[in-house]
Amino acid sequence: MTVLIPVLGDQLSQSLASLRNVDSGKAIVLLMEVWDEATYVRHHKKKIAFIFSAMRHFGDDLQASGWRVDYVKLDDPANTQSFTGEVLRAAKRHKATSIRTVAGSEYRVLQAQRAWAAEVGIPCDILDDDRFICSLEEFSHWAKGRKTLRMEYFYREMRMKTGLLMNPDDTPVGGQWNFDHDNRDKPASGLNYPTPERFDPDPVTKDVLGLVQQRFGDHFGDLEPFVLPVTRDQALKALDEFISTSLSDFGRYQDAMMTGQDYLYHSRLSLCLNTGLLSPIEVCKAAAHAYEQGDAPINSVEGFIRQIIGWREYMRGMYWRDMPQFASRNALAAHRPLPELFWTGNTDMNCLAQSIGQTRKEAYAHHIQRLMILGNFALLAGLNPQEVSDWFLVVYFDAFEWVELPNVIGMSQFADGGKIASKPYVGSGAYIKRMSDYCGSCHFDVKQKTGPNACPFNTLYWDFLARHETRFSHNPRMKNMYATWYRFSEERQRDYRSSASTFLDTLTPASSGWAGKP
Ligand SMILES: Cc1cc2nc3c(=O)[nH]c(=O)nc-3n(C[C@H](O)[C@H](O)[C@H](O)COP(=O)(O)OP(=O)(O)OC[C@H]3O[C@@H](n4cnc5c(N)ncnc54)[C@H](O)[C@@H]3O)c2cc1C
């Protein structure tokens, strides 16, 4: 009796459900580097390198813990380059009598797993992924019968479930559930921004970097310098470092954007969380502990914990609720092709150039850059949400479809028709000027409202509201915006719209095919 345990590249946790309650003497753990996964979109080079390196280190750690591990490398000549092909081969190689696996986090992968029993001809047990705080069943139960599924209410349930930042009488610590009103400080120069720890590549990572350069050299993004944490120990170090150097200011400067400061006080832990090197609950407990010790204020700690037990869990629930239709939603009928500037960063709009340049270099941009610069631009310009979503899936090191897609299609592009966001996340140049230092060195003038030198965010913003007047003018949260629009003279309204149209005509559609299969 041999049980085959395929472990996927985002399941790198020794406490994974499929590795519990099994006799390791009768099991083979299968780890597979396959071309199909590395190229179903042409992921950023850093992302591929991170996943392969973390997988190789995880395989070594499992072996050190007594597991028998079968590790299939990408350049193994017999590699079929698909999960199913490799499971089939390994099952034969080890004369496996059953398969035990944890449900893939993405719809596409789960569909493949569901076919394994029939394709291999042995039973295949697909276990729930209990690394999340809220099971999919529990999420369905929460969602059932509700008119709207807003994150805030879900989050409160998760606070009560976990007991994080809760008083013994079930009231929230600090007397409020949410301290976001304290979390809107502008960027400030002269602050002591922390420098994230660099994890220099060891021989395993160096091998992977060589492989990625050779096989994926034409993918988007810079491969080196590569300083990401790739082991559980390094991930724990990165967590400790975040808690001690950044958490206390995380809240205040959460929405700020600053040239040359790619991380500000953000944690950069998303890739460790999404691949299993860290668990969401341990990260949140570490943050709550810092609050209890008096090392970080409530607005920072509450804001940080909300991102993880609130937004992250909620996005996963929303993804599985609406897949596979979610992927093709386009409620605002946005059809403009993705412009080439998303790949090159060649644009006179400094905020876009900075955010895209940083993305190319680091495979990272923080939440407000993603939402209020890149996503905001895509939404205002009416870019096709599927092309936008593919771009986000390619370029960020933490991009896995279950979390990328609801953030892009739902939160950022309103393409789900408002299931996730109660109003579109749109802002004019004034927002970007307030929250960043980008406008000071921009070719465009953020104070000009119309004309060739006006910040395109100013004209696109009003053009968007005018284009979608029927849908949004009755939204109570947008009443003030429309009240302002209606106060403009017809001539001024025309100016806004024609300046927007002139700008949109300058966008060249992407031709380089960065996102698609090679
Ligand atoms: C358009 C768009 C696309 C995004 N794509 C992804 C993606 O592909 N993968 C991804 O993990 N996150 C995505 N996010 C959410 C968020 O921007 C990133 O999780 C965050 O920027 C990661 O950086 P960090 O670890 O420094 O986060 P921090 O700011 O330090 O936040 C802490 C943690 O909270 C979680 N988190 C915060 N916001 C969200 C959110 N909206 N949804 C889910 N988790 C959240 C992350 O796990 C993150 O590590 C996206 C957001 C937008 C607006």
Side-chain angles (χ1 to χ4, degrees):
M1 301 277 280
T2 302
V3 54
L4 181 69
I5 307 181
V7 171
L8 309 178
D10 62 354
Q11 299 180 342
L12 308 181
S13 159
Q14 291 227 27
S15 55
L16 198 68
S18 56
L19 300 173
R20 297 200 306 262
N21 309 318
V22 192
D23 179 351
S24 59
K26 292 187 179 143
I28 299 281
V29 179
L30 174 68
L31 285 148
M32 317 159 257
E33 295 172 3
V34 296
W35 181 256
D36 276 8
E37 284 303 306
T39 60
Y40 78 92
V41 292
R42 293 163 58 105
H43 305 284
H44 194 298
K45 292 197 267 295
K46 266 201 174 88
K47 180 180 175 186
I48 302 178
F50 166 76
I51 293 176
F52 284 178
S53 174
M55 284 172 65
R56 290 183 184 191
H57 283 97
F58 183 67
D60 292 345
D61 289 350
L62 282 177
Q63 258 172 338
S65 311
W67 289 94
R68 285 191 296 159
V69 175
D70 185 351
Y71 194 103
V72 183
K73 289 192 171 168
L74 187 84
D75 47 12
D76 177 338
N79 188 336
T80 56
Q81 305 297 353
S82 78
F83 281 157
T84 300
E86 285 316 287
V87 168
L88 202 57
R89 255 182 4 106
K92 281 196 191 131
R93 208 161 47 240
H94 300 290
K95 300 190 174 41
T97 47
S98 66
I99 303 170
R100 185 177 159 84
T101 188
V102 168
S105 63
E106 301 183 338
Y107 184 83
R108 170 184 53 80
V109 175
L110 183 60
Q111 294 306 102
Q113 287 172 309
R114 286 188 171 140
W116 286 351
E119 301 220 20
V120 184
I122 54 177
C124 176
D125 200 3
I126 303 178
L127 307 172
D128 286 346
D129 190 345
D130 57 12
R131 292 173 300 163
F132 289 89
I133 291 158
C134 180
S135 70
L136 295 177
E137 203 184 339
E138 202 179 340
F139 191 86
S140 293
H141 185 70
W142 171 78
K144 201 169 170 195
R146 284 175 192 261
K147 250 168 68 193
T148 56
L149 302 178
R150 296 291 167 239
M151 194 287 296
E152 187 63 30
Y153 300 105
F154 168 77
Y155 163 60
R156 292 178 191 183
E157 302 239 343
M158 291 301 105
R159 285 274 293 278
M160 289 191 269
K161 177 177 175 176
T162 57
L164 286 161
L165 301 181
M166 294 300 293
N167 294 313
D169 64 353
D170 277 351
T171 55
V173 165
Q176 287 164 223
W177 292 102
N178 181 317
F179 288 82
D180 244 3
H181 57 79
D182 296 337
N183 289 352
R184 310 234 188 279
D185 277 20
K186 297 171 190 172
S189 48
L191 280 177
N192 193 13
Y193 293 111
T195 322
E197 178 146 359
R198 299 165 59 94
F199 298 95
D200 288 325
D202 65 1
V204 173
T205 301
K206 281 184 185 156
D207 260 10
V208 168
L209 294 178
L211 174 80
V212 172
Q213 188 51 49
Q214 191 199 352
R215 301 294 302 277
F216 306 98
D218 60 347
H219 281 213
F220 176 79
D222 297 352
L223 180 58
E224 298 195 63
F226 185 93
V227 292
L228 298 171
V230 289
T231 65
R232 163 96 179 138
D233 284 350
Q234 291 180 343
L236 286 170
K237 237 173 142 190
L239 170 61
D240 277 356
E241 186 220 304
F242 165 71
I243 300 283
S244 59
T245 66
S246 303
L247 177 63
S248 55
D249 282 315
F250 172 87
R252 282 181 73 183
Y253 297 109
Q254 199 179 343
D255 290 1
M257 295 170 279
M258 189 86 177
T259 308
Q261 294 295 337
D262 298 343
Y263 306 108
L264 295 158
Y265 298 99
H266 290 270
S267 71
R268 214 172 55 144
L269 292 177
S270 49
L271 84 171
C272 296
L273 283 163
N274 294 353
T275 49
L277 296 184
L278 293 174
S279 84
I281 198 70
E282 75 182 331
V283 170
C284 291
K285 280 185 176 163
H289 183 69
Y291 170 70
E292 285 150 17
Q293 297 299 302
D295 293 337
I298 186 71
N299 61 306
S300 281
V301 176
E302 185 283 315
F304 180 72
I305 287 179
R306 175 159 26 91
Q307 306 309 315
I308 297 178
I309 68 170
W311 280 112
R312 185 171 184 272
E313 297 282 328
Y314 168 83
M315 288 302 188
R316 175 180 182 246
M318 293 301 276
Y319 170 80
W320 283 104
R321 242 179 107 67
D322 199 27
M323 280 301 281
Q325 299 84 350
F326 207 160
S328 53
R329 299 243 180 250
N330 189 355
L332 301 186
H335 297 296
R336 187 176 298 278
L338 189 85
E340 183 70 0
L341 70 87
F342 269 73
W343 298 115
T344 61
N346 290 337
T347 165
D348 287 336
M349 296 174 73
N350 189 41
C351 55
L352 283 183
Q354 291 294 336
S355 304
I356 294 166
Q358 170 187 331
T359 298
R360 182 179 331 113
K361 200 163 50 96
E362 303 290 338
Y364 178 89
H366 71 65
H367 187 67
I368 295 302
Q369 292 171 305
R370 298 187 204 196
L371 185 65
M372 295 309 294
I373 304 287
L374 300 158
N376 184 16
F377 179 81
L379 178 58
L380 295 180
L383 304 188
N384 175 272
Q386 280 66 44
E387 291 189 32
V388 175
S389 175
D390 279 354
W391 183 82
F392 273 95
L393 195 55
V394 166
V395 302
Y396 290 113
F397 60 33
D398 53 28
F400 294 85
E401 192 187 73
W402 66 267
V403 55
E404 173 277 328
L405 197 130
N407 267 298
V408 176
I409 299 283
M411 182 187 234
S412 157
Q413 299 303 295
F414 209 84
D416 64 349
K419 289 196 179 94
I420 286 179
S422 56
K423 76 171 184 51
Y425 281 93
V426 287
S428 67
Y431 174 87
I432 296 167
K433 180 172 182 316
R434 192 164 63 249
M435 297 314 300
S436 80
D437 67 351
Y438 295 148
C439 302
S441 39
C442 186
H443 162 90
F444 294 103
D445 182 352
V446 69
K447 292 201 207 81
Q448 285 194 37
K449 306 292 181 202
T450 57
N453 293 325
C455 167
F457 274 103
N458 290 342
T459 58
L460 292 174
Y461 175 80
W462 292 114
D463 185 56
F464 174 87
L465 291 185
R467 255 185 2 253
H468 297 293
E469 184 181 354
T470 316
R471 179 183 281 268
F472 293 128
S473 58
H474 301 295
N475 180 325
R477 297 193 61 205
M478 298 179 77
K479 273 217 154 93
N480 289 344
M481 301 170 178
Y482 278 98
T484 306
W485 174 246
Y486 295 138
R487 275 200 300 274
F488 292 157
S489 66
E490 272 182 33
E491 190 190 350
R492 189 163 175 193
Q493 289 185 347
R494 262 198 312 275
D495 273 358
Y496 273 120
R497 300 213 61 187
S498 73
S499 296
S501 163
T502 307
F503 171 78
L504 289 171
D505 286 345
T506 65
L507 298 177
T508 318
S511 57
S512 45
W514 281 101
K517 272 187 177 255

